[in-house]
């Protein structure tokens, strides 16, 4: 009896151990399954995080691009406004140009007669003025008249040349000049040095200083002046004009102003 009980205990122990081993194996299998599922979730979470990081980077790039494009748009708006102002100014300039072009025919028709009147007035002035470089001044006017018939010279250039002649005449009023010339004094042609003090006084003197005189506007001719009064003055004036002497005060023969008519 005892032996049978011991066998039964032993068998029960063996069965219990087998059950325990079977339970442990089942637990290991369940644990492995749980760990496998956990690892899968971890891998899935890691992959999700990678995708999230990638999406964040893409979002950051899109935001940066958006800001850049916005700045470009703002710059283009400012540029477009400036261009619109320039276009408006250009349209106004084109309108003025169209008006000017439409008036070109009128201008070309009216300017030549104006130039002719200017040359006529200048020629009359030179004829009535003191004979300061008279031949040269009249030659300039004659050359200008010849240019009026030239088709190679534009109307604008012809007008510019006429204005230049007027500027030259105006400059004579501010110059102190001297040159040699042959003049007629009391019916006799003599070689002299001419001294021009602007349009104030025009004088002459022979090389030996034996004769000194001036242009008398009231008589419209050359007159001889007292040598003891003006010979030294004219001589010094000629040297000043030639830059051979320093500037100084000169007692000049000046025609008295005429009374107004």
């Amino acid at each position: 009896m005892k032996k049978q009980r011991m066998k039964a205990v032993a068998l029960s122990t063996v069965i219990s151990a087998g059950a325990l081993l079977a339970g442990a194996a089942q637990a290991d299998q369940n644990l492995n399954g749980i760990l496998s599922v956990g690892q899968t979730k971890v891998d899935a979470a890691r992959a999700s995080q990678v995708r999230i990081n990638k999406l964040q980077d893409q979002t950051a790039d899109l935001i940066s691009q958006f800001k850049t494009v916005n700045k470009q748009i703002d710059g283009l708006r400012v540029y477009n406004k400036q261009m619109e102002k320039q276009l408006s100014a250009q349209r106004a300039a084109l309108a003025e140009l169209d008006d000017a072009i439409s008036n070109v025919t009128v201008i070309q028709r009216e300017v030549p007669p104006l130039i002719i009147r200017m040359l006529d007035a200048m020629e009359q002035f030179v004829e009535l003025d003191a004979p300061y470089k008279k031949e040269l001044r009249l030659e300039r006017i004659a050359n200008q008249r010849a240019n009026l018939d030239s088709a190679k010279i534009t109307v604008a250039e012809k007008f510019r040349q006429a204005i230049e002649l007027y500027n030259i005449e105006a400059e004579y009023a501010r110059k102190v000049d001297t040159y040699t010339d042959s003049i007629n004094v009391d019916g006799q042609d003599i070689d002299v040095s001419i001294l021009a003090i602007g349009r104030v006084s025009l004088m002459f003197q022979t090389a030996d200083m034996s004769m000194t005189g001036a242009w008398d506007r009231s008589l419209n001719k050359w007159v001889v002046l007292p040598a003891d009064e003006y010979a030294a003055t004219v001589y010094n004036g000629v040297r000043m004009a030639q830059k051979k002497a320093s500037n100084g005060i000169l007692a000049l023969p000046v025609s008295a102003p005429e009374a107004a008519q």
Side-chain angles (χ1 to χ4, degrees):
M1 289 295 292
K2 227 182 223 185
K3 190 183 275 191
Q4 288 179 351
R5 190 181 300 120
M6 290 180 62
K7 288 182 181 178
V9 172
L11 179 60
S12 176
T13 303
V14 171
I15 291 172
S16 298
L20 180 61
L21 291 174
Q26 183 65 35
D28 288 340
Q29 185 177 0
N30 292 337
L31 180 61
N32 289 335
I34 293 172
L35 291 177
S36 177
V37 172
Q39 184 63 40
T40 300
K41 290 183 178 181
V42 170
D43 292 339
R46 184 181 295 111
S48 297
Q49 187 63 46
V50 170
R51 287 195 297 272
I52 290 171
N53 293 339
K54 187 175 181 180
L55 288 174
Q56 287 179 339
D57 293 340
Q58 291 176 349
T59 302
D61 291 340
L62 289 174
I63 292 173
S64 178
Q65 292 177 8
F66 176 77
K67 291 180 179 179
T68 301
V69 171
N70 270 345
K71 289 182 180 180
Q72 292 176 349
I73 292 173
D74 291 339
L76 287 174
R77 288 197 184 102
V78 175
Y79 177 78
N80 287 337
K81 288 182 180 179
Q82 185 64 30
M83 288 298 99
E84 183 60 33
K85 292 180 180 179
Q86 291 185 7
L87 288 174
S88 178
Q90 289 175 355
R91 284 192 288 267
L94 285 175
E96 293 178 0
L97 184 59
D98 288 339
D99 293 339
I101 291 174
S102 63
N103 293 328
V104 166
T105 303
V106 177
I107 294 173
Q108 289 182 340
R109 185 173 64 245
E110 293 182 354
V111 170
L114 172 62
I115 297 175
I116 292 174
R117 292 194 297 271
M118 292 171 65
L119 295 178
D120 289 342
M122 182 179 293
E123 186 174 16
Q124 183 180 9
F125 173 78
V126 173
E127 291 290 355
L128 296 175
D129 194 23
Y132 170 73
K133 295 184 177 181
K134 185 174 182 178
E135 291 77 10
L136 175 60
R137 294 157 72 189
L138 291 176
E139 182 181 356
R140 289 197 187 105
I141 297 173
N143 292 337
Q144 179 65 35
R145 288 189 189 279
N147 288 342
L148 291 178
D149 299 329
S150 175
K152 296 180 180 180
I153 303 176
T154 64
V155 174
E157 175 61 18
K158 293 173 183 177
F159 184 74
R160 187 199 66 79
Q161 291 176 357
I163 294 297
E164 184 178 359
L165 290 183
Y166 272 80
N167 289 335
I168 292 173
E169 286 293 326
E171 184 65 22
Y172 287 151
R174 299 186 289 269
K175 289 181 62 176
V176 176
D177 192 17
T178 184
Y179 60 97
T180 58
D181 199 359
S182 179
I183 64 174
N184 186 279
V185 181
D186 296 332
Q188 181 183 0
D189 292 333
I190 57 175
D191 294 329
V192 296
S193 293
I194 302 293
L195 174 63
I197 308 296
R199 298 191 184 279
V200 176
S201 184
L202 187 65
M203 298 154 284
F204 73 87
Q205 189 172 73
T206 57
D208 59 3
M209 299 178 60
S210 62
M211 184 182 297
T212 300
W215 178 258
D216 191 320
R217 295 181 182 274
S218 61
L219 299 176
N220 199 32
K221 68 175 185 178
W222 294 103
V223 296
V224 178
L225 299 174
D228 58 341
E229 293 185 25
Y230 295 106
T233 295
V234 175
Y235 175 78
N236 291 333
V238 170
R239 287 178 56 80
M240 291 177 190
Q242 294 173 340
K243 308 300 181 183
K244 295 180 179 180
S246 57
N247 294 336
I249 298 175
L250 299 175
L252 303 175
V254 179
S255 299
E258 298 179 1
Q261 300 296 325

